[in-house]
């Protein structure tokens, strides 16, 4: 009983100390002068001049070549600093779980196997303290994704400075998430099971169940609907092309089977999520225009015959073959904690072969393309949303990624979190004694 009460007190304390009030709409034109601009599409502009107007980027120039009248604008002089487009984290449960061991704060999955109608957006907590903690590292947008079941549900894209989920929404119900059956299985060591990897005897049966579900969905939409079926209604976007199918699968056979399954069922817009062995089937991925949300970079090889640094260089192996790749942080129960480290995973990819600006694309323009929001986000280009930040140094290096300003749709947001407050408090502890 005491443990339950302590959990309730902890949860209430988090609710009472809410996220900072969302920033007000941009009311004055802003000029960012003198920074090195990392456009996000692979190019860099030294000594840049960037104008923000009405929540959008109205101009991006080389400050040495173009002179503009900045009268009446708020001028931010940032010589020797760097400007980046806001980072985007796909396949995330940010805002769906607050405290892993407080059940009342967990809302990342529903019971049941077939849940395409479950919408993560309406469960998104815009005042999450964990969401707030990602912003000081430049992560300003995310794809909020449900978990569990064979079909987990429908994700949506949000920006990370809002009063509620309605205000946060950037792209509503962008895709459905499917957990592909595993080709292999092992017992649970906690229950005394055999932990050796072996073939999944039920794999063919599970794929057939999935195929039957897709076929039943198609029949439902073709026939006269005497009774509403919410899960089947949610599937309609896959067949019309308005939604993407995000297939969570890691091994080579599973990826091949998943792509063939999609082709056989006329599902044209698919994305592989995880893709540990995607580097083995780059030709198939490229030929079918399939992009990859690559697994957690700071992880270990999954078999004894793999290179020790495979997770670090996997992005390069795919990019070199022309596959569209973005990074995500899904890794068991630590994905929300690790979300703030997204830029440093891109930094590791740069250390293991990718050009720095190519690595930057893994968390800016590439995820924007995969999520189909690149018309507004993902790069510093005229006409796009003024969602960007200014860093004292290299944003892919944890030693130098120190933000001084951040903007979402032209609104200058707070970079304070409960963590920065504690840092300031305890950094003065010994100075005051």
């Amino acid at each position: 009983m005491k443990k339950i009460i302590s959990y309730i007190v902890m949860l209430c304390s988090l609710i009472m100390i809410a996220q900072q009030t969302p920033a007000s709409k941009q009311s004055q034109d802003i000029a960012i002068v003198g920074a090195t601009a990392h456009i996000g599409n692979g190019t860099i502009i030294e000594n840049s001049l960037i104008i923000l107007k009405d929540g959008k980027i109205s101009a991006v120039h080389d400050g040495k070549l173009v002179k503009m009248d900045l009268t009446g604008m708020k001028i931010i002089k940032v010589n020797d600093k760097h400007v980046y487009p806001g980072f985007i984290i796909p396949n995330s449960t940010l805002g769906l779980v607050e405290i892993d061991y407080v059940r009342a704060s967990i809302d990342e999955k529903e019971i049941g196997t077939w849940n395409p109608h479950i919408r993560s957006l309406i469960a998104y907590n815009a005042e999450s303290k964990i969401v707030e903690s990602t912003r000081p590292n430049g992560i300003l947008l995310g794809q909020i994704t449900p978990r569990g079941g064979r079909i987990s549900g429908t994700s949506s894209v949000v920006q990370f400075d809002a009063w509620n989920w309605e205000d946060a929404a950037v792209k509503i119900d962008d895709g459905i998430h499917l957990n592909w059956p595993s080709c292999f299985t092992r017992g649970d060591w906690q229950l005394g099971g055999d932990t050796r990897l072996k073939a999944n005897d039920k794999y063919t049966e599970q794929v057939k169940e999935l195929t039957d579900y897709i076929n039943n969905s198609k029949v439902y939409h073709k026939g006269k609907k005497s009774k509403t079926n919410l899960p089947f209604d949610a599937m309609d976007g896959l067949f019309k092309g308005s939604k993407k199918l995000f297939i969570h699968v890691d091994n080579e056979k599973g990826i091949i089977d998943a792509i063939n399954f999609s082709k056989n069922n006329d599902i044209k817009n698919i994305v592989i999520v995880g893709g540990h062995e995607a580097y083995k089937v780059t030709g198939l991925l490229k030929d079918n225009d399939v992009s990859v949300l690559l697994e957690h970079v700071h992880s270990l090889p999954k078999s004894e015959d793999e290179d020790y640094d495979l997770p670090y260089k996997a992005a390069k192996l795919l990019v070199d073959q022309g596959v569209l790749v973005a990074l995500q942080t899904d890794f068991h129960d630590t994905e929300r904690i690790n979300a703030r480290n997204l830029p440093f995973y891109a930094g590791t990819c740069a250390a293991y072969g990718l050009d720095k600006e190519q690595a930057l694309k893994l968390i800016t323009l590439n995820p924007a393309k995969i999520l189909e929001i690149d018309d507004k986000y993902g790069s510093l280009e005229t006409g796009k949303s003024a969602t960007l930040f200014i860093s004292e140094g290299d944003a892919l290096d944890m030693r130098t990624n120190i933000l001084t300003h951040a903007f979402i749709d032209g609104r200058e947001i707070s970079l304070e979190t409960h963590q920065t407050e504690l840092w300031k408090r305890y950094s003065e502890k010994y100075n005051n004694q």
Side-chain angles (χ1 to χ4, degrees):
M1 186 65 184
K2 289 182 178 179
K3 184 180 291 186
I4 295 174
I5 293 174
S6 65
Y7 282 159
I8 293 173
V9 170
M10 186 187 305
L11 181 60
C12 290
S13 65
L14 282 172
I15 294 173
M16 291 172 63
I17 309 173
Q19 187 181 35
Q20 286 86 16
T21 301
S24 301
K25 185 176 180 180
Q26 183 183 358
S27 59
Q28 182 183 14
D29 292 356
I30 299 171
I32 301 173
V33 181
T36 298
H38 301 262
I39 304 303
N41 59 7
T43 61
I44 298 175
I45 299 177
E46 303 284 352
N47 192 27
S48 65
L49 171 61
I50 302 174
I51 307 298
L52 314 184
K53 182 180 178 66
D54 298 327
K56 294 184 177 181
I57 300 172
S58 65
V60 180
H61 296 302
D62 185 329
K64 293 180 179 179
L65 303 177
V66 178
K67 303 299 180 182
M68 294 182 64
D69 183 6
L70 306 181
T71 303
M73 298 185 187
K74 177 182 177 180
I75 300 174
I76 304 176
K77 292 186 178 181
V78 284
N79 295 335
D80 300 324
K81 292 185 174 63
H82 299 257
V83 179
Y84 293 87
F87 296 154
I88 304 169
I89 182 168
N91 183 41
S92 175
T93 56
L94 285 169
L96 300 183
V97 179
E98 197 65 12
I99 305 173
D100 286 326
Y101 295 101
V102 177
R103 190 171 182 179
S105 75
I106 301 174
D107 201 8
E108 65 179 346
K109 61 184 176 182
E110 296 291 339
I111 60 173
T113 304
W114 310 100
N115 294 316
H117 59 302
I118 298 300
R119 304 174 64 223
S120 63
L121 180 62
I122 60 175
Y124 174 69
N125 175 19
E127 292 194 338
S128 167
K129 306 292 285 185
I130 306 175
V131 170
E132 178 184 84
S133 71
T134 67
R135 303 190 311 190
N137 280 350
I139 303 164
L140 306 182
L141 299 105
Q143 180 197 36
I144 307 307
T145 305
R147 298 282 187 256
R150 180 63 66 212
I151 297 181
S152 304
T154 302
S155 59
S156 292
V157 183
V158 301
Q159 51 87 1
F160 290 158
D161 184 61
W163 287 101
N164 47 49
W165 65 262
E166 292 96 332
D167 293 341
V170 169
K171 185 171 185 180
I172 297 175
D173 299 339
D174 70 304
I176 290 176
H177 291 256
L178 162 65
N179 297 302
W180 190 258
S182 177
C183 302
F184 302 95
T185 185
R186 68 172 83 226
D188 189 335
W189 67 271
Q190 292 178 317
L191 300 177
D194 184 356
T195 60
R196 290 175 296 180
L197 199 65
K198 59 183 179 179
N200 179 10
D201 295 335
K202 296 182 179 180
Y203 178 74
T204 302
E205 177 186 338
Q206 291 168 345
V207 172
K208 185 180 183 303
E209 288 178 351
L210 180 55
T211 301
D212 290 343
Y213 190 83
I214 295 294
N215 289 334
N216 290 337
S217 299
K218 289 181 177 179
V219 171
Y220 170 81
H221 288 290
K222 289 179 179 178
K224 293 183 179 180
K225 303 173 184 177
S226 59
K227 185 177 180 181
T228 299
N229 186 306
L230 291 179
F232 285 169
D233 281 339
M235 296 288 287
D236 192 33
L238 292 182
F239 311 128
K240 291 181 177 178
S242 60
K243 289 182 181 178
K244 286 193 173 184
L245 180 61
F246 292 83
I247 305 177
H248 298 240
V249 57
D250 277 327
N251 64 79
E252 179 183 5
K253 175 175 170 51
I255 294 171
I256 294 171
D257 289 349
I259 293 175
N260 289 332
F261 164 84
S262 301
K263 291 168 65 177
N264 293 337
N265 288 281
D266 298 320
I267 302 174
K268 297 179 175 58
N269 297 326
I270 71 169
V271 177
I272 298 298
V273 182
H276 178 75
E277 294 186 345
Y279 70 96
K280 296 182 178 181
V281 290
T282 54
L284 181 66
L285 294 169
K286 188 176 179 181
D287 291 345
N288 290 279
D289 195 25
V290 177
S291 50
V292 178
L293 297 179
L294 199 59
E295 67 174 347
H296 191 280
V297 173
H298 289 180
S299 58
L300 297 173
K302 294 186 177 180
S303 65
E304 60 186 17
D305 60 346
E306 290 180 348
D307 293 345
Y308 75 92
D309 56 356
L310 176 61
Y312 308 151
K313 65 183 182 182
K316 177 175 172 55
L317 296 176
L318 293 171
V319 169
D320 285 351
Q321 297 301 317
V323 179
L324 183 62
V325 182
L327 302 184
Q328 46 108 18
T329 63
D330 182 14
F331 192 67
H332 307 302
D333 293 333
T334 64
E335 63 164 298
R336 290 169 295 278
I337 299 171
N338 285 315
R340 60 186 175 181
N341 293 323
L342 179 69
F344 313 135
Y345 300 151
T348 297
C349 293
Y352 281 79
L354 278 182
D355 173 85
K356 235 354 172 356
E357 298 308 308
Q358 282 183 316
L360 178 64
K361 289 171 68 174
L362 299 177
I363 56 175
T364 54
L365 191 56
N366 286 8
K369 287 180 177 179
I370 292 171
L371 302 178
E372 296 183 347
I373 57 171
D374 55 303
D375 58 328
K376 295 181 179 178
Y377 300 95
S379 59
L380 304 177
E381 298 179 80
T382 301
K384 289 193 175 185
S385 167
T387 299
L388 50 91
F389 65 90
I390 302 169
S391 174
E392 290 186 3
D394 181 357
L396 305 189
D397 186 338
M398 66 175 62
R399 296 168 299 180
T400 57
N401 185 23
I402 303 172
L403 271 63
T404 59
H405 302 75
F407 303 86
I408 293 180
D409 297 328
R411 300 176 291 109
E412 185 169 3
I413 66 171
S414 170
L415 294 173
E416 291 296 322
T417 72
H418 64 294
Q419 293 171 331
T420 60
E421 291 172 358
L422 289 172
W423 173 75
K424 290 176 181 177
R425 175 185 176 186
Y426 286 103
S427 65
E428 296 298 323
K429 177 178 180 180
Y430 296 104
N431 292 337
N432 295 330
Q433 290 183 353

